[in-house]
Amino acid sequence: MKVFVRLSPDPITPLPDIADSTSGAVVTFSGVVRNVEQNQPITSLFYEAYHPMAETLIRDILRQLSLPYPCSSVEVLHRLGHIPIGETSLWIRVLAPHRAEAFSLLTHFLDRLKQDVPIWKTKPSP
Amino acid sequence: MKVFVRLSPDPITPLPDIADSTSGAVVTFSGVVRNVEQNQPITSLFYEAYHPMAETLIRDILRQLSLPYPCSSVEVLHRLGHIPIGETSLWIRVLAPHRAEAFSLLTHFLDRLKQDVPIWKTKPSP
Amino acid sequence: MRILYFAQARLAVGLSEEAFHTTESLSAEKLWHLLIHRHPALLPLQSACRLSKNSHFLQLGETFHPDDEVALLPPVSGG
Amino acid sequence: MRILYFAQARLAVGLSEEAFHTTESLSAEKLWHLLIHRHPALLPLQSACRLSKNSHFLQLGETFHPDDEVALLPPVSGG
């Protein structure tokens, strides 16, 4: 399984399409900063990461998940720093021969990301 | 829930981004014609639809699924006619406040699509 | 009555649609009987095909009327 | 030892990292005790924070050595 991970303060732009006629399913997830956080209106969120550990853990989790859910490619972009509402904080694309593996790997990865990977969002101090 | 459905022989190009700061999750699914179909190498597939019934059923299914899985927007593009391998036959984008509803609506919709909606793929006659 | 054939039904019959003249209402069983009489290649498809009436799946006990649009719907495979 | 503070730990301490001089190995309990002594605002975070040692979650029974990089990891919330 090809894995690409990038944590960066740059705005996220989706990666170019991958030409792969063995993959019948492409599933993309974008996480967008909403205008409310814990029921409070906000204008941006601040994301920080423990960078080397976060990237290592993301790769470890994807390697583990590729055993039950074999996919051909997973790309993960996570933006850090101040992100205004309406902009993308997380972008993930999964390619797989069939849709079931792609959805399973993606949803399990998101659960693990939000449980274990050292990335945090905080409201900017007023 | 906003619903957009288009069945068309034109190649699929993803719809423009939707600016919506109330939706924290955007999930996109692309179905791509693979280079094998039922273990046989192929170069294209032929898709046909019972057009008005297919579109009506897609809208009915989405309306039903929006009750347990409230999402803000669903767009469905299905290409018809001859589709070469590597090209997209189906493109679906779901926006929702949270990712759980988006994934649930999308995966249930795909199951129903492949069970009930009168769209067929056949191998082109040699 | 207008009959639409899709996918394997279209390939079996060699037509995507045809007119079917009847002056009376027909049950699904009676219609299948008449269609298979006209197109014997439909016989192996009968058990797998669903029927629609005017763009809706035929409900149990519903009958077809002379002006209906009927479609033979083999197992679907979209996506 | 180098201590990294993230998110609520960073906000409580007012620093994102600091040096912590020790000549001996420390258990997690001992390190928490010393850090809370220096930064009392960390006390309410102790039960929720995980610790890492050189970019890995601290394993049960592992100790910290004078050259380690230690991070205080509040409950994560990425995505």
Side-chain angles (χ1 to χ4, degrees):
Chain A
M1 187 171 77
K2 287 196 322 193
V3 171
F4 179 82
V5 180
R6 184 168 65 206
L7 310 181
S8 155
D10 298 333
I12 286 177
T13 47
L15 296 172
D17 286 352
I18 297 177
D20 172 10
S21 62
T22 65
S23 290
V26 182
V27 184
T28 306
F29 174 82
S30 297
V32 177
V33 176
R34 299 172 67 210
N35 57 3
V36 290
E37 176 72 13
Q38 295 167 332
N39 295 318
Q40 302 283 315
I42 56 162
T43 59
S44 71
L45 284 176
F46 178 73
Y47 281 83
E48 63 196 289
Y50 184 13
H51 197 315
M53 182 174 174
E55 184 170 332
T56 303
L57 255 180
I58 288 172
R59 291 178 180 278
D60 285 350
I61 293 168
L62 290 173
R63 194 178 313 118
Q64 291 162 20
L65 291 172
S66 72
L67 301 176
Y69 312 117
C71 294
S72 40
S73 160
V74 182
E75 296 151 297
V76 178
L77 309 180
H78 203 307
R79 186 173 168 188
L80 301 173
H82 287 284
I83 308 183
I85 61 169
E87 298 195 10
T88 302
S89 54
L90 173 63
W91 185 89
I92 305 174
R93 180 167 61 188
V94 181
L95 273 70
H98 304 285
R99 72 186 194 284
E101 303 92 303
F103 279 113
S104 292
L105 183 133
L106 178 51
T107 53
H108 283 89
F109 174 70
L110 284 165
D111 291 345
R112 292 288 309 275
L113 174 75
K114 286 162 182 285
Q115 184 183 307
D116 285 331
V117 175
I119 301 176
W120 300 266
K121 61 181 169 199
T122 45
K123 287 185 240 182
S125 5
Chain B
M1 188 172 79
K2 287 195 323 193
V3 171
F4 178 83
V5 180
R6 184 167 66 205
L7 310 181
S8 156
D10 297 332
I12 286 177
T13 47
L15 296 171
D17 285 352
I18 296 177
D20 172 10
S21 63
T22 66
S23 291
V26 182
V27 184
T28 306
F29 174 83
S30 297
V32 177
V33 176
R34 299 170 67 207
N35 58 3
V36 291
E37 176 73 13
Q38 296 167 331
N39 297 318
Q40 301 283 314
I42 57 164
T43 58
S44 71
L45 284 176
F46 178 73
Y47 281 84
E48 64 194 289
Y50 184 12
H51 197 314
M53 182 174 175
E55 183 169 335
T56 303
L57 255 181
I58 288 172
R59 291 179 180 278
D60 286 350
I61 293 167
L62 290 173
R63 195 179 311 119
Q64 292 162 20
L65 291 173
S66 71
L67 302 176
Y69 312 117
C71 294
S72 40
S73 161
V74 183
E75 297 150 297
V76 178
L77 309 180
H78 203 307
R79 185 172 168 189
L80 301 173
H82 287 284
I83 308 183
I85 60 169
E87 298 197 9
T88 302
S89 55
L90 173 63
W91 185 90
I92 305 175
R93 180 169 59 188
V94 181
L95 272 70
H98 303 285
R99 72 185 195 284
E101 304 93 302
F103 279 112
S104 292
L105 184 133
L106 178 50
T107 54
H108 283 89
F109 174 70
L110 284 165
D111 290 344
R112 292 288 308 275
L113 174 75
K114 286 162 183 285
Q115 183 183 307
D116 286 331
V117 176
I119 300 176
W120 299 266
K121 60 180 169 199
T122 45
K123 286 185 242 184
S125 5
Chain C
M1 194 173 294
R2 191 162 153 247
I3 314 283
L4 307 181
Y5 300 105
F6 290 99
Q8 293 82 352
R10 174 177 54 72
L11 295 169
V13 171
L15 291 170
S16 54
E17 65 173 276
E18 66 180 339
F20 189 90
H21 293 291
T22 172
T23 53
E24 51 178 16
S25 293
L26 299 174
S27 68
E29 292 68 28
K30 181 70 179 170
L31 179 63
W32 269 116
H33 181 81
L34 295 170
L35 289 176
I36 289 168
H37 182 75
R38 185 185 285 192
H39 305 290
L42 286 175
L43 179 59
L45 298 176
Q46 182 180 4
S47 61
C49 279
R50 288 195 274 187
L51 295 174
S52 71
K53 166 179 162 150
N54 302 325
S55 293
H56 292 279
F57 289 118
L58 190 73
Q59 302 294 304
L60 204 67
E62 244 187 325
T63 56
F64 293 107
H65 304 299
D67 288 343
D68 285 343
E69 177 178 283
V70 180
L72 271 67
L73 308 172
V76 306
S77 53
Chain D
M1 193 174 294
R2 190 161 154 248
I3 314 285
L4 307 181
Y5 300 105
F6 290 100
Q8 293 83 354
R10 175 177 54 73
L11 295 169
V13 170
L15 291 170
S16 54
E17 66 172 277
E18 64 180 339
F20 189 90
H21 293 291
T22 173
T23 53
E24 51 178 13
S25 292
L26 299 174
S27 69
E29 292 67 29
K30 181 69 179 170
L31 178 63
W32 269 115
H33 181 79
L34 295 170
L35 289 176
I36 289 169
H37 182 75
R38 185 186 288 193
H39 305 290
L42 285 175
L43 179 59
L45 298 176
Q46 182 181 2
S47 62
C49 278
R50 289 194 273 186
L51 295 174
S52 71
K53 166 178 162 147
N54 302 328
S55 294
H56 292 280
F57 289 118
L58 188 73
Q59 302 295 304
L60 204 66
E62 245 187 323
T63 56
F64 294 107
H65 303 298
D67 287 343
D68 284 345
E69 176 178 284
V70 180
L72 271 68
L73 309 173
V76 305
S77 53

Coordinates of all heavy atoms in Angstrom, one line a residue, chain C residues 20-71:
Chain C
F20 N -46.9 -3.6 -27.3 CA -47.6 -4.9 -27.0 C -49.1 -4.6 -26.9 O -49.5 -3.9 -26.0 CB -47.0 -5.4 -25.7 CG -47.4 -6.8 -25.5 CD1 -46.7 -7.9 -25.9 CD2 -48.6 -7.1 -24.7 CE1 -47.1 -9.2 -25.6 CE2 -49.0 -8.4 -24.5 CZ -48.2 -9.4 -24.9
H21 N -49.8 -5.0 -27.9 CA -51.3 -4.7 -28.0 C -52.1 -5.6 -27.1 O -52.0 -6.8 -27.3 CB -51.7 -4.6 -29.4 CG -51.1 -3.5 -30.2 ND1 -51.4 -2.2 -29.9 CD2 -50.1 -3.5 -31.1 CE1 -50.6 -1.4 -30.7 NE2 -49.8 -2.2 -31.5
T22 N -52.9 -5.0 -26.3 CA -53.8 -5.8 -25.5 C -55.0 -4.8 -25.2 O -54.8 -3.6 -25.0 CB -53.2 -6.3 -24.2 OG1 -54.2 -6.9 -23.4 CG2 -52.6 -5.2 -23.4
T23 N -56.2 -5.4 -25.1 CA -57.3 -4.6 -24.8 C -57.8 -4.8 -23.3 O -58.6 -4.1 -22.8 CB -58.5 -4.9 -25.7 OG1 -58.7 -6.4 -25.6 CG2 -58.2 -4.5 -27.1
E24 N -57.2 -5.8 -22.7 CA -57.6 -6.1 -21.3 C -56.4 -5.9 -20.3 O -55.3 -5.9 -20.7 CB -58.1 -7.6 -21.2 CG -57.1 -8.5 -21.8 CD -57.6 -10.0 -21.7 OE1 -58.8 -10.2 -21.4 OE2 -56.8 -10.9 -21.8
S25 N -56.7 -5.8 -19.1 CA -55.7 -5.8 -18.0 C -55.1 -7.2 -17.9 O -55.7 -8.2 -18.1 CB -56.3 -5.4 -16.7 OG -56.7 -4.0 -16.8
L26 N -53.8 -7.2 -17.5 CA -53.0 -8.4 -17.4 C -52.3 -8.5 -16.1 O -51.7 -7.6 -15.6 CB -52.0 -8.5 -18.5 CG -52.4 -8.5 -20.0 CD1 -51.2 -8.4 -20.9 CD2 -53.3 -9.7 -20.3
S27 N -52.4 -9.7 -15.5 CA -51.5 -9.9 -14.3 C -50.1 -10.1 -14.8 O -49.8 -10.3 -15.9 CB -52.0 -11.2 -13.6 OG -51.7 -12.3 -14.4
A28 N -49.2 -10.0 -13.8 CA -47.7 -10.2 -14.1 C -47.5 -11.6 -14.7 O -46.8 -11.7 -15.7 CB -46.9 -10.0 -12.8
E29 N -48.2 -12.6 -14.2 CA -48.0 -14.0 -14.7 C -48.5 -14.1 -16.1 O -47.8 -14.7 -17.0 CB -48.8 -15.0 -13.8 CG -48.3 -15.1 -12.4 CD -48.5 -13.9 -11.5 OE1 -49.4 -13.1 -11.8 OE2 -47.6 -13.7 -10.6
K30 N -49.6 -13.5 -16.4 CA -50.2 -13.6 -17.8 C -49.2 -12.8 -18.7 O -49.0 -13.3 -19.8 CB -51.6 -12.9 -17.8 CG -52.3 -13.0 -19.1 CD -52.7 -14.4 -19.5 CE -53.4 -14.3 -20.8 NZ -53.6 -15.7 -21.3
L31 N -48.8 -11.6 -18.3 CA -47.9 -10.9 -19.2 C -46.6 -11.7 -19.5 O -46.1 -11.8 -20.6 CB -47.5 -9.5 -18.6 CG -46.6 -8.7 -19.4 CD1 -47.2 -8.3 -20.8 CD2 -46.2 -7.4 -18.7
W32 N -46.0 -12.2 -18.4 CA -44.8 -13.0 -18.6 C -45.1 -14.2 -19.6 O -44.3 -14.4 -20.6 CB -44.3 -13.7 -17.3 CG -43.3 -12.8 -16.6 CD1 -43.4 -12.3 -15.4 CD2 -41.9 -12.5 -17.0 NE1 -42.3 -11.6 -15.0 CE2 -41.4 -11.7 -16.0 CE3 -41.2 -12.8 -18.1 CZ2 -40.0 -11.2 -16.1 CZ3 -39.9 -12.3 -18.2 CH2 -39.3 -11.5 -17.2
H33 N -46.2 -14.8 -19.5 CA -46.6 -15.9 -20.3 C -46.6 -15.5 -21.8 O -46.1 -16.1 -22.7 CB -47.9 -16.5 -19.9 CG -48.4 -17.6 -20.7 ND1 -48.0 -18.9 -20.5 CD2 -49.3 -17.7 -21.7 CE1 -48.5 -19.7 -21.4 NE2 -49.3 -19.0 -22.2
L34 N -47.2 -14.3 -22.0 CA -47.4 -13.8 -23.4 C -46.0 -13.4 -24.0 O -45.7 -13.6 -25.1 CB -48.4 -12.7 -23.5 CG -49.8 -13.1 -23.1 CD1 -50.7 -11.8 -22.9 CD2 -50.4 -14.0 -24.2
L35 N -45.2 -12.7 -23.1 CA -43.9 -12.2 -23.6 C -42.9 -13.4 -23.9 O -42.2 -13.4 -24.9 CB -43.2 -11.3 -22.6 CG -43.9 -9.9 -22.4 CD1 -43.2 -9.2 -21.2 CD2 -43.9 -9.1 -23.7
I36 N -43.0 -14.4 -23.1 CA -42.1 -15.6 -23.3 C -42.6 -16.3 -24.6 O -41.7 -16.9 -25.3 CB -42.0 -16.5 -22.1 CG1 -41.2 -15.8 -21.0 CG2 -41.4 -17.8 -22.4 CD1 -41.3 -16.4 -19.6
H37 N -43.9 -16.3 -24.8 CA -44.4 -17.0 -26.0 C -43.8 -16.2 -27.2 O -43.4 -16.9 -28.2 CB -45.9 -16.9 -26.0 CG -46.5 -17.5 -27.2 ND1 -46.6 -18.9 -27.4 CD2 -47.1 -17.0 -28.3 CE1 -47.2 -19.2 -28.5 NE2 -47.5 -18.1 -29.1
R38 N -43.7 -14.9 -27.1 CA -43.2 -14.1 -28.3 C -41.7 -14.2 -28.3 O -41.1 -14.2 -29.4 CB -43.7 -12.7 -28.1 CG -43.3 -11.8 -29.3 CD -43.6 -10.3 -29.1 NE -45.1 -10.0 -29.2 CZ -45.6 -8.8 -29.2 NH1 -44.7 -7.7 -29.2 NH2 -46.9 -8.6 -29.3
H39 N -41.0 -14.2 -27.2 CA -39.6 -14.2 -27.1 C -39.1 -15.3 -26.2 O -38.9 -15.1 -25.0 CB -39.0 -12.9 -26.6 CG -39.5 -11.7 -27.3 ND1 -39.1 -11.3 -28.6 CD2 -40.4 -10.7 -26.9 CE1 -39.7 -10.2 -29.0 NE2 -40.4 -9.8 -28.0
P40 N -39.0 -16.5 -26.7 CA -38.6 -17.7 -25.8 C -37.3 -17.4 -25.1 O -37.1 -18.0 -24.0 CB -38.5 -18.8 -26.8 CG -39.4 -18.5 -28.0 CD -39.2 -17.0 -28.1
A41 N -36.4 -16.6 -25.6 CA -35.1 -16.3 -24.9 C -35.3 -15.6 -23.6 O -34.4 -15.6 -22.8 CB -34.2 -15.5 -25.8
L42 N -36.5 -15.1 -23.3 CA -36.8 -14.5 -22.0 C -37.0 -15.5 -20.9 O -36.9 -15.2 -19.7 CB -38.0 -13.6 -22.1 CG -37.8 -12.3 -22.8 CD1 -39.2 -11.5 -22.9 CD2 -36.8 -11.4 -22.1
L43 N -37.3 -16.7 -21.2 CA -37.7 -17.7 -20.2 C -36.6 -17.8 -19.1 O -37.0 -17.7 -17.9 CB -37.9 -19.1 -20.9 CG -38.3 -20.2 -19.9 CD1 -39.5 -19.9 -19.1 CD2 -38.4 -21.6 -20.7
P44 N -35.3 -18.0 -19.4 CA -34.4 -18.1 -18.3 C -34.2 -16.8 -17.4 O -33.7 -16.8 -16.3 CB -33.0 -18.4 -18.9 CG -33.2 -18.1 -20.4 CD -34.7 -18.2 -20.7
L45 N -34.8 -15.7 -17.9 CA -34.6 -14.5 -17.2 C -35.8 -14.2 -16.2 O -35.7 -13.3 -15.4 CB -34.5 -13.3 -18.1 CG -33.3 -13.3 -19.1 CD1 -33.3 -12.1 -20.0 CD2 -32.0 -13.2 -18.2
Q46 N -36.9 -15.0 -16.4 CA -38.1 -14.6 -15.7 C -37.9 -14.6 -14.2 O -38.4 -13.7 -13.5 CB -39.2 -15.6 -16.0 CG -40.5 -15.3 -15.3 CD -41.7 -16.2 -15.6 OE1 -41.5 -17.2 -16.3 NE2 -42.9 -15.9 -15.1
S47 N -37.2 -15.6 -13.6 CA -37.1 -15.7 -12.2 C -36.3 -14.5 -11.6 O -36.5 -14.2 -10.4 CB -36.6 -17.0 -11.8 OG -35.2 -17.2 -12.3
A48 N -35.3 -14.0 -12.4 CA -34.4 -13.0 -11.8 C -34.9 -11.6 -12.1 O -34.5 -10.6 -11.4 CB -33.0 -13.1 -12.4
C49 N -35.8 -11.4 -13.1 CA -36.2 -10.0 -13.5 C -37.3 -9.5 -12.6 O -38.3 -10.2 -12.2 CB -36.7 -10.0 -14.9 SG -35.5 -9.9 -16.1
R50 N -37.3 -8.2 -12.3 CA -38.4 -7.5 -11.7 C -39.2 -6.8 -12.8 O -38.6 -6.5 -13.8 CB -38.0 -6.6 -10.6 CG -37.5 -7.3 -9.3 CD -37.3 -6.3 -8.2 NE -36.0 -5.7 -8.2 CZ -35.6 -4.9 -7.2 NH1 -36.4 -4.6 -6.1 NH2 -34.4 -4.3 -7.2
L51 N -40.4 -6.5 -12.5 CA -41.2 -5.7 -13.5 C -41.5 -4.4 -12.9 O -41.7 -4.2 -11.7 CB -42.5 -6.5 -13.8 CG -42.4 -7.8 -14.5 CD1 -43.8 -8.5 -14.6 CD2 -41.8 -7.6 -15.9
S52 N -41.6 -3.4 -13.7 CA -42.0 -2.1 -13.3 C -43.2 -1.7 -14.1 O -43.4 -2.1 -15.2 CB -41.0 -1.0 -13.4 OG -40.7 -0.7 -14.8
K53 N -44.1 -0.8 -13.5 CA -45.3 -0.3 -14.2 C -45.2 1.2 -14.0 O -45.1 1.8 -12.9 CB -46.5 -0.9 -13.5 CG -47.8 -0.2 -13.8 CD -48.9 -0.9 -13.0 CE -50.2 0.1 -13.0 NZ -51.4 -0.6 -13.0
N54 N -45.1 1.9 -15.2 CA -45.0 3.4 -15.2 C -44.0 3.9 -14.2 O -44.2 4.8 -13.4 CB -46.4 4.0 -14.8 CG -47.4 3.5 -15.8 OD1 -47.1 3.3 -17.0 ND2 -48.7 3.3 -15.4
S55 N -42.8 3.3 -14.3 CA -41.6 3.7 -13.5 C -41.6 3.4 -12.1 O -40.9 4.0 -11.3 CB -41.3 5.3 -13.7 OG -41.0 5.5 -15.0
H56 N -42.5 2.5 -11.6 CA -42.5 2.1 -10.2 C -42.4 0.5 -10.2 O -43.1 -0.1 -11.0 CB -43.7 2.6 -9.4 CG -43.7 4.0 -9.3 ND1 -42.9 4.6 -8.3 CD2 -44.3 5.0 -10.0 CE1 -43.1 6.0 -8.4 NE2 -43.9 6.2 -9.4
F57 N -41.7 0.0 -9.2 CA -41.8 -1.5 -9.1 C -43.2 -1.9 -9.0 O -44.0 -1.3 -8.2 CB -41.0 -1.9 -7.9 CG -39.5 -1.8 -8.0 CD1 -38.8 -0.9 -7.2 CD2 -38.8 -2.5 -9.0 CE1 -37.4 -0.8 -7.3 CE2 -37.4 -2.3 -9.1 CZ -36.7 -1.5 -8.3
L58 N -43.6 -3.0 -9.7 CA -44.9 -3.5 -9.6 C -45.2 -4.0 -8.2 O -44.4 -4.7 -7.6 CB -45.1 -4.7 -10.6 CG -46.5 -5.2 -10.8 CD1 -47.3 -4.2 -11.6 CD2 -46.5 -6.6 -11.4
Q59 N -46.3 -3.6 -7.6 CA -46.7 -4.0 -6.3 C -47.4 -5.3 -6.4 O -48.0 -5.7 -7.4 CB -47.7 -3.0 -5.6 CG -47.1 -1.6 -5.5 CD -45.9 -1.5 -4.6 OE1 -46.0 -1.9 -3.4 NE2 -44.8 -1.0 -5.1
L60 N -47.3 -6.1 -5.3 CA -48.0 -7.4 -5.2 C -49.4 -7.3 -5.6 O -50.1 -6.4 -5.0 CB -47.8 -8.0 -3.8 CG -47.9 -9.5 -3.7 CD1 -46.7 -10.2 -4.5 CD2 -47.9 -10.0 -2.3
G61 N -49.9 -8.1 -6.5 CA -51.3 -8.0 -6.9 C -51.7 -7.0 -7.9 O -52.9 -7.0 -8.4
E62 N -50.8 -6.0 -8.1 CA -51.1 -5.0 -9.1 C -51.2 -5.7 -10.5 O -50.5 -6.6 -10.8 CB -50.0 -4.0 -9.2 CG -50.4 -2.6 -8.8 CD -49.3 -1.6 -9.0 OE1 -48.1 -2.0 -8.8 OE2 -49.6 -0.5 -9.4
T63 N -52.0 -5.1 -11.4 CA -52.1 -5.6 -12.8 C -51.7 -4.5 -13.7 O -51.7 -3.3 -13.4 CB -53.6 -6.0 -13.1 OG1 -54.5 -4.9 -12.9 CG2 -54.0 -7.2 -12.2
F64 N -51.4 -4.9 -15.0 CA -51.0 -4.0 -16.0 C -52.3 -3.6 -16.9 O -53.1 -4.5 -17.2 CB -50.0 -4.6 -16.9 CG -48.7 -4.8 -16.2 CD1 -48.3 -6.1 -15.9 CD2 -47.8 -3.8 -15.9 CE1 -47.1 -6.4 -15.2 CE2 -46.6 -4.0 -15.2 CZ -46.3 -5.3 -14.9
H65 N -52.4 -2.3 -17.2 CA -53.5 -1.9 -18.0 C -52.9 -1.6 -19.4 O -51.7 -1.4 -19.6 CB -54.1 -0.6 -17.4 CG -54.5 -0.9 -16.0 ND1 -55.5 -1.8 -15.7 CD2 -54.2 -0.4 -14.8 CE1 -55.7 -1.9 -14.4 NE2 -54.9 -1.0 -13.8
P66 N -53.8 -1.5 -20.4 CA -53.4 -1.4 -21.8 C -52.5 -0.2 -22.1 O -51.6 -0.2 -23.0 CB -54.7 -1.2 -22.6 CG -55.7 -2.0 -21.8 CD -55.3 -1.8 -20.3
D67 N -52.6 0.9 -21.3 CA -51.8 2.1 -21.6 C -50.5 2.2 -20.8 O -49.7 3.1 -20.9 CB -52.6 3.4 -21.3 CG -53.6 3.6 -22.4 OD1 -53.5 3.0 -23.4 OD2 -54.6 4.4 -22.1
D68 N -50.2 1.1 -20.0 CA -49.0 1.2 -19.1 C -47.7 1.1 -19.8 O -47.6 0.4 -20.9 CB -49.1 0.1 -18.1 CG -50.2 0.4 -17.0 OD1 -50.6 1.6 -16.9 OD2 -50.5 -0.6 -16.3
E69 N -46.7 1.7 -19.2 CA -45.3 1.4 -19.7 C -44.7 0.4 -18.7 O -44.7 0.6 -17.5 CB -44.5 2.7 -19.6 CG -43.0 2.5 -20.0 CD -42.2 3.8 -19.9 OE1 -42.3 4.6 -20.9 OE2 -41.4 4.0 -19.0
V70 N -44.3 -0.7 -19.3 CA -43.8 -1.9 -18.5 C -42.3 -2.0 -18.8 O -41.9 -1.9 -20.0 CB -44.6 -3.2 -18.9 CG1 -44.0 -4.3 -18.1 CG2 -46.1 -3.0 -18.7
A71 N -41.5 -2.3 -17.8 CA -40.1 -2.6 -18.0 C -39.7 -3.9 -17.4 O -40.2 -4.2 -16.3 CB -39.2 -1.4 -17.5

